[in-house]
Amino acid sequence: MMNVLIVRTSSMGDLIHTWPAITELKTHYPNLRISWLAEENFADIARLHPAVDEVITLAWRRWRKNLLSAATWAEIKAMRGKLRATRWELVVDCQGLLKSALPAKLSGAPLTGYDRQSIREPLACLLYDKTHRVDWSLSAVERCRLLLSKVFGYQSQGSPQFGVPAALRPQWLPAGQYAVLLHATSRASKEWPEPHWIALGERLVAEHGLQLIIPWGNAAEQQRAERLAAAMPQAMVAPRMNLVEACGLLGHARAVIGVDTGLSHLANALNVPLVAIYTDTDPSKTGVVETAWATNLGGIGQCPVVDEVMQALLARKDMA
């Protein structure tokens, strides 16, 4: 059995974008033992894929704040030891950044990745033993699929298959069908207005009888979730969840509406009816994979209205 290490350290959406490439690779080479190097906060995303045999973690986000600490360097040394403990046939940097290429190089194994014209940080190419050209105009999902197909010598074909099943339905959920409203994102410019969320929630309840579930990830998001829930019928704020629990919540939803956030990509991977709303980013580059279940709305400088979102949702598979 050949040992292969995939490097995609962060963030949530980027790791999820790698799932279809892993699915396709394992289909072509079922004898591979696939490991994944990921940031500790996103390791559960890598673990969710059934083709991944092992996840090795690093903590660059934490380490960079304490680079002079002996404890930090002890952890880096331990990570290096873990990487060197396996004889890797090949290491593939699917991220193309110095923060991914540097720890990948610590493996001591042949390292490959994108070439200078295909990468966000060309300096990372200096650490690769072999590089591959991949068109920048492709989506993040297709870029990763194409990279692995070039590295391992097969033809990437067909629509992306994420290959990850839903986790168990959370026990705290009330009985019946529900919609998940993913209002939280990394910056204010990517948010959808609160009055839009409230109007959407009212329609989901009145027209479809759905319970509304509103997740959050930090204190500010929790406050917004509580405001939204207080203004909507049949709405509840979700408890704090880890990524596996979020996979269960999204995977059993009747509908998911979300902004540009990693959890929207997780819902996309689970084939549930999904509308992803974009107001400050380009969905052709980083949007969800459009399928019978999922679609993107909006774009840079655009703000879809409630009617557009409802129409798009009703056009999704399993929502008729």
Side-chain angles (χ1 to χ4, degrees):
M1 182 167 288
M2 297 173 57
N3 291 303
V4 171
L5 178 65
I6 301 299
V7 181
R8 193 77 178 252
T9 61
S10 63
S11 55
M12 186 192 305
D14 291 327
L15 268 70
I16 293 168
H17 288 157
T18 310
W19 282 350
I22 298 291
T23 302
E24 196 168 32
L25 174 61
K26 190 69 171 182
T27 299
H28 283 87
Y29 295 103
N31 62 319
L32 291 182
R33 184 179 186 275
I34 300 174
S35 298
W36 194 326
L37 179 64
E39 271 279 348
E40 58 182 3
N41 291 340
F42 302 109
D44 281 343
I45 292 293
R47 293 188 182 103
L48 282 170
H49 200 294
V52 175
D53 297 284
E54 180 186 24
V55 177
I56 300 172
T57 61
L58 72 162
W60 174 243
R61 295 185 175 192
R62 178 164 52 82
W63 293 341
R64 68 186 178 185
K65 299 175 184 178
N66 298 284
L67 280 177
L68 299 181
S69 165
T72 293
W73 285 99
E75 289 188 31
I76 294 173
K77 183 179 179 181
M79 179 198 68
R80 180 181 181 274
K82 180 70 173 175
L83 291 171
R84 293 288 179 106
T86 298
R87 182 183 179 279
W88 307 105
E89 301 295 333
L90 191 62
V91 178
V92 186
D93 180 8
C94 293
Q95 192 145 16
L97 301 174
L98 284 171
K99 72 174 186 179
S100 56
L102 284 168
K105 196 67 176 177
L106 293 178
S107 67
L111 176 60
T112 187
Y114 299 102
D115 72 5
R116 293 181 62 85
Q117 282 71 47
S118 312
I119 201 169
R120 195 184 313 168
E121 294 181 3
L123 282 176
C125 294
L126 299 177
L127 300 174
Y128 300 153
D129 299 294
K130 188 173 182 179
T131 60
H132 299 271
R133 179 72 55 88
V134 177
D135 192 341
W136 261 115
S137 67
L138 297 173
S139 69
V141 168
E142 292 303 324
R143 277 172 52 80
C144 194
R145 289 179 71 193
L146 187 54
L147 175 63
L148 288 193
S149 72
K150 289 189 171 189
V151 169
F152 290 95
Y154 57 84
Q155 189 73 29
S156 181
Q157 295 178 326
S159 59
Q161 302 297 318
F162 288 90
V164 173
L168 295 175
R169 192 182 196 273
Q171 293 184 349
W172 53 262
L173 277 170
Q177 296 186 328
Y178 60 92
V180 181
L181 308 184
L182 301 175
H183 62 96
T185 185
S186 59
R187 60 177 187 264
S189 61
K190 297 197 293 183
E191 293 174 359
W192 202 43
E194 290 187 26
H196 286 27
W197 283 114
I198 294 168
L200 176 68
E202 290 173 344
R203 290 188 60 176
L204 290 171
V205 173
E207 298 173 20
H208 300 278
L210 297 176
Q211 173 79 38
L212 306 176
I213 309 298
I214 311 178
W216 53 277
N218 58 39
E221 294 168 3
Q222 184 180 18
Q223 291 174 3
R224 188 191 305 119
E226 290 170 349
R227 286 196 304 272
L228 292 172
M232 300 177 189
Q234 293 181 203
M236 68 175 291
V237 176
R240 180 180 287 279
M241 296 178 289
N242 60 36
L243 293 175
V244 175
E245 291 167 335
C247 184
L249 171 67
L250 296 169
H252 296 276
R254 182 76 170 84
V256 178
I257 303 91
V259 290
D260 184 2
T261 179
L263 289 179
S264 293
H265 294 286
L266 182 54
N268 186 202
L270 298 171
N271 285 341
V272 295
L274 166 68
V275 176
I277 300 169
Y278 292 80
T279 60
D280 193 41
T281 46
D282 182 1
S284 70
K285 297 293 177 59
T286 58
V288 301
V289 177
E290 294 200 321
T291 67
W293 288 276
T295 193
N296 297 300
L297 282 184
I300 298 173
Q302 301 177 38
C303 184
V305 298
V306 175
D307 279 344
E308 290 179 282
V309 174
M310 282 299 300
Q311 291 171 13
L313 182 62
L314 293 177
R316 298 307 100 215
K317 185 174 180 179
D318 297 339
M319 279 301 296

